[in-house]
Structure formats: structure tokens, C-alpha cells
Amino acid sequence: MARLSEDNRALLAESAYHYGTFFDLHGVGEEYKPFPILDGSDPGEGFVRFTAKMLERSQLGQAHADAARELAEELVRGQVSFMLQPGDYLIVNQRRFLHGREALASGQHDVEPERRRLLLQLFLRDRGTDSVAS
């Protein structure tokens, strides 16, 4: 975040972004939209809520879109990729790391159901705070 301009960090801290539609969520509260990408903390601190898909799905003004694109470029610059193998689990503390996944290869309808990728999401909440990790 420190590599972003102060102006773009300020734009990313405004509640101007949203992402898609959520369904079949239980016990996590109402959908938060619009939302800020950055929580306004100093660079290197705080929370980042980002997916490149929001660039297509948010109706953004030029300045907010440019700020989000600059962030996306910085995230790609620092990314690390690895392939999970069948049976692998990945647990990510979203307060410390950003994560993503690549699109599946073509021909997915030919993959046997028991060999398909299964993504599950789990939300953990500390009883003493309102913080959320998933």
C-alpha cells in the first residue's frame, strides 16, 4: 500500500466499491455495499478488501477506477503462485494476506464430480471482538 500515492489511498478508503451478488450466506450479517477497499489505516496496517472483478462490477468514476487499477497492478507485481494438489487445504488469514485463484481450464464439464475443485468458506469470529477472519 505504501507504493500507492496518498491521493489514491484516500480514494480507495472511500465507500465507492461493490462486488457482485452474494447468496446462501448464513450467520454473517447483511451484505456490505458500497464498501471501501482500504480501511484508512497507515500503509502496512489495516485491512484490504479487493477483487479485480469489482473493477467490472462497480459503477465507478474515473478517479476511483484508476486508483483500484493501480492497486491491482501493485498486487500482481508482488504475487506468488502455486498449485494446490488433490487433498490439499489452504487456510488464509485475510487480515494478513490477500489471496486469489486462477480460472479453471476449459473442459470442466468433463471432469468427474468427485475430482472437481471444491471451495468452502469459513468465517471465524473472536468472541471478544467484532473482528472477522475467514
Side-chain angles (χ1 to χ4, degrees):
M1 298 310 106
R3 291 191 301 259
L4 300 174
S5 71
E6 189 173 328
D7 289 344
N8 280 347
R9 285 196 309 268
L11 287 165
L12 294 168
E14 293 178 6
S15 292
Y17 303 88
H18 76 73
Y19 170 68
T21 302
F22 297 89
F23 54 92
D24 293 337
L25 296 177
H26 304 283
V28 295
E30 294 295 315
E31 184 178 344
Y32 180 34
K33 68 178 183 181
F35 56 83
I37 290 176
L38 303 180
D39 69 0
S41 299
D42 290 334
E45 303 291 327
F47 189 75
V48 177
R49 179 183 179 147
F50 183 79
T51 173
K53 293 178 184 176
M54 75 177 59
L55 293 171
E56 304 162 7
R57 298 179 181 176
S58 295
Q59 295 179 357
L60 299 171
Q62 190 66 45
H64 285 97
D66 289 346
R69 275 193 271 291
E70 182 185 0
L71 174 61
E73 290 169 6
E74 289 297 334
L75 295 174
V76 168
R77 186 176 320 201
Q79 81 180 10
V80 175
S81 297
F82 55 92
M83 179 73 72
L84 294 176
Q85 300 301 313
D88 285 352
Y89 291 84
L90 178 63
I91 298 174
V92 179
N93 178 340
Q94 292 185 167
R95 295 272 179 191
R96 298 194 62 203
F97 301 96
L98 293 169
H99 66 88
R101 55 189 167 269
E102 299 290 326
L104 296 174
S106 63
Q108 291 300 305
H109 61 280
D110 296 328
V111 176
E112 300 168 21
E114 64 274 2
R115 295 190 44 83
R116 292 181 185 160
R117 177 172 73 176
L118 175 63
L119 297 175
L120 300 175
Q121 197 169 38
L122 172 68
F123 295 90
L124 301 175
R125 215 178 277 270
D126 182 343
R127 291 181 186 199
T129 69
D130 290 334
S131 65
V132 176
S134 63

